[in-house]
Structure formats: C-alpha cells, structure tokens
Amino acid sequence: MNISFDKQISSLEREILLKSVEIHDSGDDFQFELNKFFSQKEIIAIAPRCIRCNMCVDQCPVDAIEPANIFKIAKITHDCVKCEICVQTCPVSAIKLIDNKVSYNHDEGDEAIEYNLASISRPHRVVRMNDISIDYSDLANYDNCAKFCPTDAFTLEFKSYFEELGIDVDIELEDDVLYPVINKKLCIGCGACVQFCENDSVKLDRTIGPIVHTKNLEINQDECVNCYLCEENCPVEAIWLDEEKVVLNNDKCIRCINCTSHCPVGALNFVEID
C-alpha cells in the first residue's frame, strides 16, 4: 500500500473553526499560520479481514488490543507501544504497520498539506499447528467456527461425508444433521475455531515461533542525563540505570517506542538490522 493525498489549507481552517464551536469557543478572531513542517510516525492498524482469532490479543505484552468477537474485529487501543509483535503474529497478515508522513512547505507556495501512507514490510512469526481435534461426545453449535476459519479447514458436513472418507468419530451420526470436521492439511493453527467453540470441545496444540527482531536499541551513554525516564516508562522492565549507566536486557526488550520517545536528550535510538 502506498497512498498519497493532499488536504487543502482552507479545508483545515474550516475544520478547526467547526471544532472551536463544539467546545463553545469563539472563532471570530481565530487565525493560524503554518510554516514548513514535516512529521513522520508509524501507525498499526487492523484490516477488516481480521478472522477474530485473538492471537494478537494473547501475544500483546501490554494488553493494548481489544478482543474481537462475532460482531467486531480486534482493535488497537491508545495503550499501544508500537512493539510490532501483533504485526508479526497475525496468522492472516491482517495487522499492518503503516508509515505516516505529513508535510507542508509554505515557502514554496503550497496550499495543501501532503499526507503519505505506505505499508512497512515486517517478517512473520512461524505459527504451526501440531494437532487439532474435536470432542464429538460433547457437541455444540459450530456455525461461527466454520464461518471464521480463513482456510475452510473447519467445515460442517453430513453423515455421508464421514462415511465416504471413512472417518470414525466414536458416536452414532444421524441423517440430515451437520457435524464439524477439520481438515488438518488446511489448518494453519490460527485458533479462530477455538475462540468461537461454545463448549471448549475443539482442542488445539500449536507452536508459535519467536519474534524476528528488525531493529536494536542503541544507547549513547555520553548523552544520558540519568533522568530515569527510560526505566520508569519501559512496560517490560527491560532497561534500567546502574551506577549512572544505562543497562539493557536485550532479550527482554520488546523494541517499543516508550524509552526512545521519553528520552529528553535523544540518547536512545533504534537502529535497523541489516
């Protein structure tokens, strides 16, 4: 994805004036003047094709994702620290890391603010289904399990299907009744069926591989002013000060933006791994 669009300054003026009315402020004397500026930050967003497996929710180290349900997809909250773990974890790549650039140059006579959104590629964690099974002695409604399965590995079939393939489920199957069946060759281990199983009769054993780090934290000890803001704001306690030196547990660090964004002197910066 690479999208660019402009927003006219006149439109921005109208929006701000309308907002001032909403907060009961007078816009009669309102004026603003923009000079040259440039802003760049990353956005993490969940696409509508989210399969509601909630694997991202389980893997988020700061509980910054609202769980999905039958009616809505998962949602990134304001508590997100941009660690990108969810981006690497989503089994159907429905979570995107987006580079958001905003620029304006009044000196060149621009009458619009330019926005550019571009997808940032990230490696994907290994998610492997080891085994998956259904307890046919305690059946429930599996409509949503089949509905949200992204590979059609989970289907509902009649008795004849089981007879044709010689599938023995240790219960007496009835005619004109749909029964759940899982094609293990198609299953990717996302766990969406487990999420929507009403009585926990679907059991999944899977392996989720390690995070693939794409950047490392670089510490400039000479610039550090011992303010302790990195230590106080690290959500996983991976960084601290010891005898006026910054110490980092690299294995524990989740590569989020909390320490770098709070450092007042720019002593902490991420460096991309080649």
Side-chain angles (χ1 to χ4, degrees):
M1 178 190 74
N2 195 320
I3 302 173
S4 295
F5 62 93
D6 295 337
K7 191 174 189 65
Q8 297 298 318
I9 295 297
S10 57
S11 297
L12 183 60
E13 289 176 338
R14 286 195 297 271
E15 288 183 16
I16 295 177
L17 285 172
L18 288 172
K19 183 60 67 175
S20 70
V21 173
E22 291 179 13
I23 60 176
H24 307 292
D25 192 12
S26 174
D28 294 340
D29 300 322
F30 175 79
Q31 291 183 345
F32 77 92
E33 184 174 323
L34 291 176
N35 294 313
K36 181 178 180 180
F37 74 85
F38 177 81
S39 173
Q40 181 176 11
K41 66 178 182 178
E42 294 179 354
I43 299 172
I44 296 179
I46 301 179
R49 70 168 179 272
C50 166
I51 57 174
R52 297 157 170 81
C53 67
N54 284 330
M55 190 186 299
C56 58
V57 177
D58 296 336
Q59 294 294 311
C60 179
V62 294
D63 298 325
I65 306 178
E66 291 182 4
N69 57 39
I70 296 173
F71 306 104
K72 65 177 184 178
I73 64 175
K75 179 183 178 182
I76 307 290
T77 71
H78 293 299
D79 295 325
C80 175
V81 294
K82 306 292 192 304
C83 67
E84 305 175 12
I85 290 176
C86 59
V87 178
Q88 291 195 25
T89 300
C90 179
V92 294
S93 300
I95 305 180
K96 298 296 184 182
L97 180 63
I98 302 170
D99 182 34
N100 177 32
K101 296 178 182 177
V102 184
S103 61
Y104 174 73
N105 192 346
H106 180 269
D107 295 338
E108 295 182 1
D110 290 347
E111 293 300 326
I113 299 175
E114 182 180 351
Y115 295 81
N116 183 270
L117 303 175
S119 294
I120 301 175
S121 177
R122 284 293 183 256
H124 205 274
R125 300 171 73 179
V126 173
V127 179
R128 183 176 65 248
M129 184 276 293
N130 299 321
D131 191 30
I132 188 167
S133 61
I134 301 172
D135 182 1
Y136 285 88
S137 66
D138 187 21
L139 295 177
N141 186 315
Y142 298 95
D143 289 350
N144 287 318
C145 298
K147 176 181 178 181
F148 290 105
C149 179
T151 61
D152 293 328
F154 196 111
T155 58
L156 301 177
E157 307 292 349
F158 288 108
K159 176 181 177 180
S160 58
Y161 178 89
F162 291 82
E163 292 176 339
E164 290 174 6
L165 296 182
I167 301 175
D168 184 9
V169 293
D170 295 326
I171 63 169
E172 187 68 29
L173 300 181
E174 300 179 12
D175 294 327
D176 301 324
V177 176
L178 286 169
Y179 294 94
V181 63
I182 299 174
N183 185 335
K184 293 184 179 181
K185 293 182 179 180
L186 296 178
C187 178
I188 60 174
C190 69
C193 57
V194 177
Q195 287 289 321
F196 293 110
C197 180
E198 297 178 354
N199 62 352
D200 297 326
S201 59
V202 179
K203 303 297 182 182
L204 171 65
D205 175 28
R206 69 184 173 195
T207 298
I208 301 177
I211 296 296
V212 182
H213 293 306
T214 61
K215 55 189 176 183
N216 284 325
L217 185 64
E218 187 176 78
I219 303 171
N220 188 330
Q221 301 285 1
D222 294 332
E223 294 291 333
C224 177
V225 293
N226 300 319
C227 65
Y228 287 87
L229 286 175
C230 58
E231 179 177 336
E232 293 172 358
N233 287 282
C234 179
V236 294
E237 299 179 349
I239 191 169
W240 63 92
L241 266 75
D242 184 15
E243 297 182 355
E244 299 185 352
K245 292 290 184 180
V246 180
V247 180
L248 175 70
N249 184 330
N250 201 51
D251 293 332
K252 197 174 182 180
C253 175
I254 59 174
R255 277 69 171 174
C256 72
I257 64 170
N258 271 24
C259 61
T260 55
S261 62
H262 283 91
C263 181
V265 294
L268 303 174
N269 292 283
F270 280 111
V271 178
E272 294 288 329
I273 300 174
D274 295 332

